[in-house]
Amino acid sequence: MASMTSSTFHPLLRYVNVRLQQGVPIVDSDVNELDDVRKFELRAFLKWYVGDGVPEGTNGFQITGGLSNDFTIGAGAPAGSGSTELDTALAHTGRIIVDGLDVMITADVAFSAQPLHASQTGSTALAAKLGVPVVPALTMTGSATTLVAYLDVWEHLVTPDDDPNLILPGLGVESCARIKREWVVRTGAAVPVSGASDFLAGHSYTALAVLNRPASSTLIAPANIVDKRQRRLLLPPAHLVLDTVGVDPADYRSGTNRPLISLRAAINSLLAGQLPTTGEVAVANGPGPDLLGKAVFLDNANGLVIVWQSSQSGTSQVALARIDLTNPGITSVPATTLTSAGVHAAPAALMLPNGDYLVAYQTAATEDPNSDLKLKRGPLGSLAGAGEVTVSDTASVADQKVQAVLAGDFVVFVFDQQGASTDKWSYRRYKHTDNSFPDTSPVQLATNSGSRAMHTASAGGLVFIAFHDGTKLTASILNPVTNTVANSPQSAGPATDIHVLALSATSALVFYSTGSGLSVLTLNGTTWSGPAAIAGTDVNDSQPNAVQDADGTIWLLSTRKFSDNTNHVVVRRRNAASGDWTAPQRLAPSPGNDGFPAGVPVPGQGLWAVWANDRNGTTNTDLFARRVITAI
């Protein structure tokens, strides 16, 4: 055999070609290295950009049973025979990629019929020639065993001594040597890995099947074979990404606008009667009850801000947490306590046009005649240390249950005043541009004979207030500039869990619970209409909270009691054109009882929901948030 220079190819040198030069001899190592460079690039592409496995349209190297201490290695090739050897190799041969190496099998073969199997004549000599171990025969064992059938792939040099066809017949001299890709199927406890005694350098391995062998049985039954091949390799067309998720393939590959959850997870959620959502974010999960009101808003830096009444210190205080919505992987957020010493409760919160946060709260327990209303304002970092400003401190009256909304240059506070001789709904305006109160004292809206149901919202510079005075539900519109109120009594009977959704200066919805379902009042122009019952709700529905997204869709979150007597948050959508409501869909499965939902539409992200849950005990409610996927 002619001599051959040892390989000069080193992949880590990053040589990608061999260039000829004038007056320089061409030696065998130059040509061989050129071929090795090309081969390495192809192998790296197959390994890292295609992946290991069996391609779509073939079923190569399938392990099938039904034999005694033996099994069949199937070619799994498409039916038919090629008209040429090239056609057969391309279209009618089973194959698998292993560590970037394309391995072919042309016909079914029994495990024991492999030339390297110990039962085959000459297997020992062949193994020595190839530098590999013989394949041991399978035997019956007295106890149940589990074996892995795996493919062992390697390459070796073939010279004219091995293949006489490499002798050129016309000249009687040998031609160049060849590199042949060999394979054999072996069995063992596991696929060999680097460092293991059965791992051979230069070999590549992949699992084909697991053989679960019962005790004292020679039969390898089909039912005891578990296929472990990676299958159906196929590079999809680029338009598939655009067709399924509506994202340009180049953007998708760069991580832009990818769905936060898989299409499978979204479809499974819908099939289960739930909305697809991201994972849960823990907002407040310490000891004691955390009570969520309606103080949830989106700030000007894409942060979801939650303000609530926390009892983690043993005394009710006002706490704040902010979820950075640019961080999709967040699972919990730190909380900041804004108050200290004595009871501080029932907060309301919003963001001012200059970027300040404003938080209002009561300074004693509900119905305590010493309760006053205070506010703090300032940037997030200094809000806890900001000085308190009095909103209402009426003597011997419980100033409580405050709501706050932004309307132009004003923040309007609406609250309950309960005293020995005074029980009323009141409001007071605060001009945030100069920190002044145009109203020297609270302005009465209506008497309040025992009811505590009220909510307020703003749009178009106007403030919409809905409250129950113990007899009837009233929807009021306050113009904070002229300080005039237009009251519109609507209905007698119960009205609890009131929620106002202000859409414009001439459009608003008032949702509330009647005790037998959810109803809604509608403002169109200057006329209130309704109430109209929301279809599909009953005595099991309460705590409505509604928002409108950029597409005009109204999302109604509420609490509903399920057949297992637990309460959970459900979501309904109202079609902007027809006004019809969808059936309720559960927000997400969770242990314990859910309640007091608050929704916030976020441009480009859909809907974020915050709610309370008592999974850690009925006296230890915690707060959680998650993003609702409203579009893929």
Side-chain angles (χ1 to χ4, degrees):
M1 183 184 75
S3 59
M4 180 184 298
T5 306
S6 299
S7 175
T8 59
F9 174 64
H10 298 283
L12 297 182
L13 291 178
R14 302 190 300 279
Y15 291 152
V16 296
N17 212 335
V18 174
R19 308 299 291 173
L20 302 182
Q21 301 180 78
Q22 294 183 8
V24 175
I26 301 173
V27 296
D28 62 327
S29 62
D30 292 334
V31 178
N32 291 339
E33 182 165 345
L34 174 61
D35 181 66
D36 289 340
V37 166
R38 295 287 179 259
K39 178 184 174 183
F40 175 76
E41 287 200 317
L42 175 60
R43 181 176 181 181
F45 171 79
L46 292 175
K47 175 181 175 65
W48 292 110
Y49 298 95
V50 176
D52 289 359
V54 178
E56 174 73 3
T58 74
N59 198 20
F61 293 94
Q62 181 185 26
I63 303 301
T64 56
L67 303 175
S68 177
N69 284 323
D70 206 355
F71 54 82
T72 301
I73 307 161
S81 58
S83 57
T84 65
E85 186 176 284
L86 177 62
D87 183 52
T88 299
L90 284 175
H92 303 286
T93 300
R95 58 201 334 122
I96 189 172
I97 296 177
V98 181
D99 201 25
L101 300 174
D102 183 24
V103 185
M104 295 190 299
I105 177 172
T106 56
D108 295 355
V109 60
F111 172 72
S112 62
Q114 297 180 106
L116 282 171
H117 191 272
S119 65
Q120 297 298 310
T121 302
S123 60
T124 301
L126 177 60
K129 180 179 179 180
L130 296 176
V132 298
V134 169
V135 176
L138 294 174
T139 59
M140 182 180 68
T141 60
S143 59
T145 59
T146 298
L147 294 176
V148 178
Y150 62 89
L151 188 63
D152 177 5
V153 182
W154 73 99
E155 295 176 343
H156 77 102
L157 185 71
V158 177
T159 67
D161 294 338
D162 306 303
D163 183 358
N165 290 323
L166 297 180
I167 302 293
L168 296 175
L171 299 176
V173 296
E174 63 183 80
S175 65
C176 294
R178 306 292 193 266
I179 297 292
K180 184 177 182 180
R181 188 162 295 158
E182 301 280 4
W183 63 264
V184 69
V185 174
R186 301 181 184 273
T187 61
V191 177
V193 295
S194 180
S197 59
D198 55 352
F199 181 86
L200 298 178
H203 287 234
S204 298
Y205 306 92
T206 190
L208 298 177
V210 169
L211 312 178
N212 296 307
R213 305 201 64 188
S216 304
S217 174
T218 62
L219 178 67
I220 299 180
N224 294 335
I225 298 176
V226 181
D227 195 344
K228 290 297 181 180
R229 296 169 301 158
Q230 300 182 63
R231 300 183 59 194
R232 306 194 68 174
L233 294 186
L234 181 68
L235 293 178
H239 64 73
L240 183 63
V241 174
L242 187 62
D243 291 345
T244 54
V245 294
V247 180
D248 182 87
D251 291 339
Y252 185 86
R253 293 177 62 183
S254 66
T256 303
N257 294 327
R258 283 187 175 179
L260 290 181
I261 61 173
S262 69
L263 290 178
R264 178 179 182 180
I267 293 170
N268 284 342
S269 293
L270 294 173
L271 290 175
Q274 302 162 7
L275 283 171
T277 67
T278 60
E280 197 174 69
V281 179
V283 177
N285 57 354
D290 292 291
L291 304 180
L292 182 67
K294 298 180 186 284
V296 182
F297 62 90
L298 185 69
D299 69 15
N300 58 7
N302 207 36
L304 183 65
V305 180
I306 304 106
V307 182
W308 73 97
Q309 178 181 323
S310 170
S311 298
Q312 294 187 20
S313 64
T315 303
S316 294
Q317 301 296 337
V318 176
L320 179 149
R322 181 181 184 274
I323 301 176
D324 181 2
L325 300 186
T326 63
N327 183 0
I330 196 166
T331 58
S332 62
V333 289
T336 301
T337 303
L338 302 180
T339 58
S340 61
V343 172
H344 298 80
L350 53 83
M351 168 161 274
L352 297 174
N354 70 344
D356 282 354
Y357 289 5
L358 184 147
V359 178
Y361 47 86
Q362 62 192 55
T363 60
T366 298
E367 301 185 10
D368 185 332
N370 296 312
S371 176
D372 298 327
L373 298 181
K374 304 287 185 178
L375 73 81
K376 287 187 176 187
R377 65 173 289 182
L380 176 59
S382 59
L383 188 60
E388 289 186 329
V389 176
T390 298
V391 176
S392 181
D393 59 355
T394 309
S396 302
V397 169
D399 296 301
Q400 59 189 11
K401 303 279 185 160
V402 64
Q403 293 283 318
V405 293
L406 178 67
D409 291 341
F410 295 92
V411 174
V412 176
F413 299 99
V414 184
F415 48 94
D416 176 34
Q417 290 189 295
Q418 185 187 30
S421 60
T422 304
D423 211 1
K424 59 189 178 183
W425 294 113
S426 301
Y427 71 88
R428 196 177 185 198
R429 297 171 298 156
Y430 167 71
K431 199 168 186 180
H432 60 79
T433 53
D434 61 8
N435 297 310
S436 65
F437 286 93
D439 309 308
T440 57
S441 60
V443 180
Q444 180 176 338
L445 277 170
T447 58
N448 178 3
S449 57
S451 174
R452 297 291 179 268
M454 179 272 294
H455 188 239
T456 184
S458 62
L462 299 181
V463 178
F464 298 84
I465 309 164
F467 57 88
H468 200 272
D469 62 10
T471 302
K472 61 185 179 300
L473 174 67
T474 298
S476 298
I477 303 175
L478 166 65
N479 185 326
V481 177
T482 61
N483 197 25
T484 55
V485 178
N487 288 330
S488 179
Q490 291 300 324
S491 65
T496 60
D497 303 330
I498 296 173
H499 182 87
V500 180
L501 175 60
L503 305 175
S504 70
T506 57
S507 179
L509 300 173
V510 177
F511 298 88
Y512 61 97
S513 174
T514 66
S516 59
L518 300 180
S519 290
V520 60
L521 294 170
T522 304
L523 173 68
N524 285 307
T526 60
T527 304
W528 288 95
S529 61
I534 295 177
T537 66
D538 54 31
V539 68
N540 295 307
D541 293 271
S542 60
Q543 300 171 350
N545 182 284
V547 295
Q548 184 181 46
D549 64 19
D551 296 328
T553 300
I554 294 175
W555 299 82
L556 176 61
L557 290 75
S558 62
T559 302
R560 185 177 180 86
K561 182 171 288 187
F562 282 69
S563 58
D564 61 357
N565 210 35
T566 58
N567 293 311
H568 298 286
V569 175
V570 296
V571 184
R572 295 173 172 86
R573 299 183 300 280
R574 194 184 80 162
N575 184 281
S578 67
D580 295 331
W581 293 94
T582 64
Q585 292 175 280
R586 188 170 167 180
L587 178 63
S590 60
N593 292 280
D594 300 318
F596 302 98
V600 177
V602 178
Q605 291 198 22
L607 180 69
W608 272 84
V610 185
W611 74 96
N613 176 274
D614 69 356
R615 67 189 65 175
N616 293 317
T618 56
T619 60
N620 183 17
T621 52
D622 299 318
L623 305 184
F624 299 91
R626 65 171 73 234
R627 176 178 165 183
V628 180
I629 308 299
T630 59
I632 296 293

